[in-house]
Amino acid sequence: MAPLQTLTGKPMASSSSPAGGQIAVESQSARSLFDPILNFLVRRRILLSAILFVGLVAKDVAYGFKPLDWVNIRNPYGVLGVCLVAAGLALRSWAAGILHKNSRLTTVGPYSLIRNPLYAGSFLMMLGFCLLLNNLWDISLILVPVVVLYVVKVRQEETLLAKLFPSDWPGYSQRTPRFIPRLARTDVRADWRLSQWMRSREYQALGATLVALAALKLWQTYG
């Protein structure tokens, strides 16, 4: 096929020039080197989050910081922190009790409000615990890297869901926000089952939360 002509009659430079191709190859090579590292971090996001949180607590103990007393209703920040933790845990439990992972696309209950209620609940819990630590630096130190890892994980899972449910996912993803619900009336009724909640192992999140709150109280009282 003859090359495209410019207005001057001279051949137009091809978009597949050697320089452009080299840049594309280098960019793809950089991504291929970085992807295994990112995938490794994403797969171990829960462990990394726990290690980071424990490290922040150890730092605060060493520098003499104390957490907020979350049972003191006169402290508005402590009340806000524990309310965020409780709200996040409740959202996760609600979602876990109706989720049928990979067998069918769940679009009811909290999934009719946002596409990722489990992760949204985790974000609320992390924010609440950071607030209870009573150190503003901790919020940025833990939330920024953890949120990045979870956002990457969300994108990976949504790509998988689009492949598993090619007929249902496009419409669902268009009408349902990823994290922040729209201000519109939505039917959130769903068949919540304790057996499904147990099958999702959400009791682990409940147990870990209770242990963490008890540890913060002991630290605040005797630390």
Side-chain angles (χ1 to χ4, degrees), residues 43-60:
R43 286 196 301 270
R44 288 158 179 81
R45 64 193 181 281
I46 298 177
L47 176 62
L48 292 173
S49 301
I51 292 174
L52 183 57
F53 190 81
V54 171
L56 290 177
V57 170
K59 172 187 68 67
D60 289 345

Side-chain angles (χ1 to χ4, degrees), residues 65-77:
F65 290 103
K66 277 194 172 186
L68 297 175
D69 186 2
W70 57 268
V71 300
N72 182 8
I73 61 175
R74 296 180 180 179
N75 188 323
Y77 295 106

Side-chain angles (χ1 to χ4, degrees), residues 12-83:
M12 182 182 295
S14 172
S15 59
S16 58
S17 62
Q22 182 178 357
I23 293 174
V25 170
E26 291 177 352
S27 176
Q28 184 176 1
S29 177
R31 287 196 302 269
S32 62
L33 290 175
F34 182 70
D35 283 347
I37 299 175
L38 184 60
N39 291 333
F40 174 85
L41 296 175
V42 168
R43 286 196 301 270
R44 288 158 179 81
R45 64 193 181 281
I46 298 177
L47 176 62
L48 292 173
S49 301
I51 292 174
L52 183 57
F53 190 81
V54 171
L56 290 177
V57 170
K59 172 187 68 67
D60 289 345
V61 171
Y63 282 94
F65 290 103
K66 277 194 172 186
L68 297 175
D69 186 2
W70 57 268
V71 300
N72 182 8
I73 61 175
R74 296 180 180 179
N75 188 323
Y77 295 106
V79 171
L80 176 60
V82 75
C83 285

Side-chain angles (χ1 to χ4, degrees), residues 15 19 24 36 47 58 65 74 79 84 111 118 130 132 140 147 159 172:
S15 59
L47 176 62
F65 290 103
R74 296 180 180 179
V79 171
L84 286 173
Y111 291 91
L118 284 170
C130 285
L132 291 176
S140 59
V147 165
T159 299
Y172 172 68

Side-chain angles (χ1 to χ4, degrees), residues 106-117:
T106 306
T107 61
V108 296
Y111 291 91
S112 64
L113 299 173
I114 53 177
R115 302 201 300 266
N116 300 280

